């Protein structure tokens, strides 16, 4: 984590201006941001989470937020996670499709999202109540363009022109679901209508994560044996079970998603208390969990092996730190998530080594030990001199872990080719209870 604070209302405090070349060719940029509690105590921010409160006015720019990994996760790690199959096959929905008659067996339910093999043809759907072509994508391991459709109603549905299906007219269809092993991404959608007290209609269920270019870059293989790669460069931003926040000016309300009709209807677990007209914003929440500085395991070790194990390696020394009477103290403003080793260089002198930070300080049992965090200029932790006792020898180790009151999340900005046509910023909201 850097010492740079993200200030409210300041432009370019996460992403730089979009370069002209990016507007021409398209680009995805990613940044790791930390939500942090910087109080001079160990108070807890309960059920912390982040959401986006605005979306870019520029239609060629989209921003999604997601949580992945921890303080050691690199940009390459997060990008690889984002590239996993966003969608997987729904094991409860599927069957055959006859391209000659347009008959599904069984018939998909209205509002379902399905995939049909279209081989190498971009096909328009005509006849009956239209089933609209949304995307061209890949399904399973085959590198074949397939079509993903939202079902308005079924029957008969005719593919025009009829693609080259090969030797048979009967092909497979399958329902698709958001991949639970892929990062849960969030972005703002706009309400197009309120269907009732417990449901709303939104203008989108996906956000762009790959620029709108042709051909799309190949995504690495995902974890699922069957899955959809980037669906037209997009990732799902709502899932059943998500907590969402609705906003209309000063009116704000939290709700829990019960189900999603992929025509754009979101149904909530309970009725909404407030009224949200068309144009109101809705965004799912990325859960960060409770945020509080704390101390984890504490134990003594006879010899330093240069391995930050959470269990004892070898034997324990004769000496012991009295953690019961003199607990290691931490505050939200200074503590970091780190594994620490205090290694004795004499019977009273020692050095402090962090698994990530390396050796950063030295100290003595004759004085309280409070090494400063250079980011906040406050102690990482404080060890009371009266807890050491006697009997320490060269090479003896005090091993302990600390947990910082900060949680990382990622922002991914996707710029598709096209002229700049409005503001490209978003606003991030960190929330929780105290």
């Amino acid at each position: 984590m850097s010492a740079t604070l993200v200030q409210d209302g300041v432009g370019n405090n996460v992403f730089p201006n979009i370069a002209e070349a990016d507007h021409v060719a398209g680009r995805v940029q990613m940044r790791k941001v930390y939500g942090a509690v910087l109080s001079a105590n160990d108070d807890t921010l309960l059920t912390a989470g982040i959401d986006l409160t605005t979306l870019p006015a520029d239609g060629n720019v989209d921003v999604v937020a997601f949580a992945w990994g921890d303080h050691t996760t690199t940009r390459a790690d997060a990008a690889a996670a984002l590239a996993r199959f966003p969608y997987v096959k729904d094991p409860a929905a599927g069957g055959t499709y006859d391209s000659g008659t347009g008959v599904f067996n069984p018939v998909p339910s209205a509002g379902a999202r399905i995939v049909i093999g279209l081989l190498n043809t971009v096909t328009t759907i005509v006849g009956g109540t239209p089933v609209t072509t949304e995307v061209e994508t890949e399904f399973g391991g085959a590198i074949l363009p397939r079509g993903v459709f939202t079902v308005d109603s079924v029957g008969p549905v005719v593919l025009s022109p009829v693609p080259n299906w090969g030797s048979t007219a009967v092909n497979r269809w399958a329902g698709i679901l958001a991949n639970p092993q892929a990062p849960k991404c969030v972005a703002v959608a706009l309400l197009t209508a309120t269907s009732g007290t417990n449901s709303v209609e939104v203008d989108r269920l996906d956000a762009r994560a790959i620029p709108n270019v042709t051909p799309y870059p190949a995504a690495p293989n995902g974890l699922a044996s069957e899955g959809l790669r980037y669906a037209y460069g997009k990732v799902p931003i709502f899932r059943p079970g998500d907590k969402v926040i609705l906003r209309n000016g000063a009116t704000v309300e939290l709700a829990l998603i019960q189900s999603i009709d992929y025509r754009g209807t979101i149904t909530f677990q309970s009725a909404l208390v407030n009224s949200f007209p068309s144009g109101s914003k809705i965004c799912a929440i990325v859960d960060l969990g409770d945020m509080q500085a704390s101390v984890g395991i504490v134990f003594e070790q006879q010899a330093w092996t240069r391995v930050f194990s959470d269990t004892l390696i070898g034997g324990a020394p004769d000496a012991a730190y009295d953690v019961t009477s003199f607990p290691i103290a931490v505050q939200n403003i200074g503590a970091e998530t780190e594994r620490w080793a205090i290694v004795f260089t004499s019977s009273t002198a020692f050095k402090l080594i962090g698994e990530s930070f390396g050796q950063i300080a030295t100290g003595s049992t004759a004085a309280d030990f409070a090494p400063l965090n250079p980011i906040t200029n406050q102690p990482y932790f404080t060890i009371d001199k009266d807890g050491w006792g006697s009997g320490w020898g060269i090479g003896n180790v005090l091993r302990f872990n600390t947990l910082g009151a900060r949680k990382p999340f990622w922002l991914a900005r996707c710029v598709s080719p096209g002229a700049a046509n409005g503001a490209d910023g978003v606003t991030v909201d960190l929330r929780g209870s105290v």
Side-chain angles (χ1 to χ4, degrees), residues 1-5 37-40 331-336 357 360 370-382 406:
M1 188 178 77
S2 73
T4 304
L5 292 176
V37 181
L38 298 178
S39 60
Q331 293 184 335
N332 292 329
I333 193 171
E336 297 285 359
F357 298 150
I360 62 170
L372 289 182
N373 184 335
I375 293 176
T376 62
N377 203 35
Q378 297 295 320
Y380 287 112
F381 53 82
T382 301
R406 7 195 168 275

Side-chain angles (χ1 to χ4, degrees), residues 37 39-46 291-293 330-332 405 434:
V37 181
S39 60
N41 52 42
D42 62 352
D43 289 350
T44 305
L45 182 65
L46 299 168
M291 295 172 63
Q292 178 195 31
V330 291
Q331 293 184 335
N332 292 329
V434 294

Side-chain angles (χ1 to χ4, degrees), residues 95-105 116-119 157-159 162-173:
T96 60
Y97 173 74
D98 190 316
S99 61
T101 62
V103 173
F104 289 88
N105 184 27
I116 309 173
L118 293 185
L119 299 184
V157 175
V158 181
L159 303 183
V162 176
N164 178 16
W165 294 100
S167 59
T168 177
V170 178
N171 295 268
R172 301 293 300 177
W173 72 268

Side-chain angles (χ1 to χ4, degrees), residues 5 24 63 67-68 84 96 114 116 126 129 150 197 202 227 330 333 335 367 398 417:
L5 292 176
V24 173
V63 177
W68 191 260
R84 290 174 174 168
T96 60
I114 66 171
I116 309 173
V126 298
T129 301
T150 295
T197 58
V202 297
V330 291
I333 193 171
L398 178 66

Side-chain angles (χ1 to χ4, degrees), residues 193 195-202 205 238-244 246 255-272 282:
S195 304
T197 58
N198 70 330
S199 63
V200 296
E201 295 178 15
V202 297
L205 296 167
F238 299 107
R239 306 182 186 208
D242 279 356
K243 290 184 294 183
V244 297
L246 297 96
L256 183 68
I257 294 180
Q258 181 182 64
S259 62
I260 299 172
D261 179 321
Y262 282 104
R263 290 169 296 190
T265 300
I266 296 177
T267 301
F268 303 120
Q269 190 76 35
S270 304
L272 296 173
I282 181 173

Side-chain angles (χ1 to χ4, degrees), residues 234-306:
K234 296 180 179 180
V235 292
I237 55 175
F238 299 107
R239 306 182 186 208
D242 279 356
K243 290 184 294 183
V244 297
I245 184 165
L246 297 96
R247 287 185 170 88
N248 177 37
T251 304
V252 178
E253 185 170 347
L254 290 170
L256 183 68
I257 294 180
Q258 181 182 64
S259 62
I260 299 172
D261 179 321
Y262 282 104
R263 290 169 296 190
T265 300
I266 296 177
T267 301
F268 303 120
Q269 190 76 35
S270 304
L272 296 173
V273 175
N274 299 288
S275 175
F276 291 92
S278 177
S280 300
K281 299 181 178 70
I282 181 173
C283 184
I285 296 173
V286 176
D287 292 318
L288 299 179
D290 295 344
M291 295 172 63
Q292 178 195 31
S294 61
V295 178
I297 58 167
V298 181
F299 63 90
E300 297 79 12
Q301 189 166 295
Q302 177 69 38
W304 177 229
T305 64
R306 294 180 172 82

Side-chain angles (χ1 to χ4, degrees), residues 351-375:
K351 58 185 177 181
L352 174 67
I353 304 171
E355 184 179 32
S356 300
F357 298 150
Q359 182 176 331
I360 62 170
T362 59
S364 167
T365 58
D368 292 345
F369 186 52
L372 289 182
N373 184 335
I375 293 176

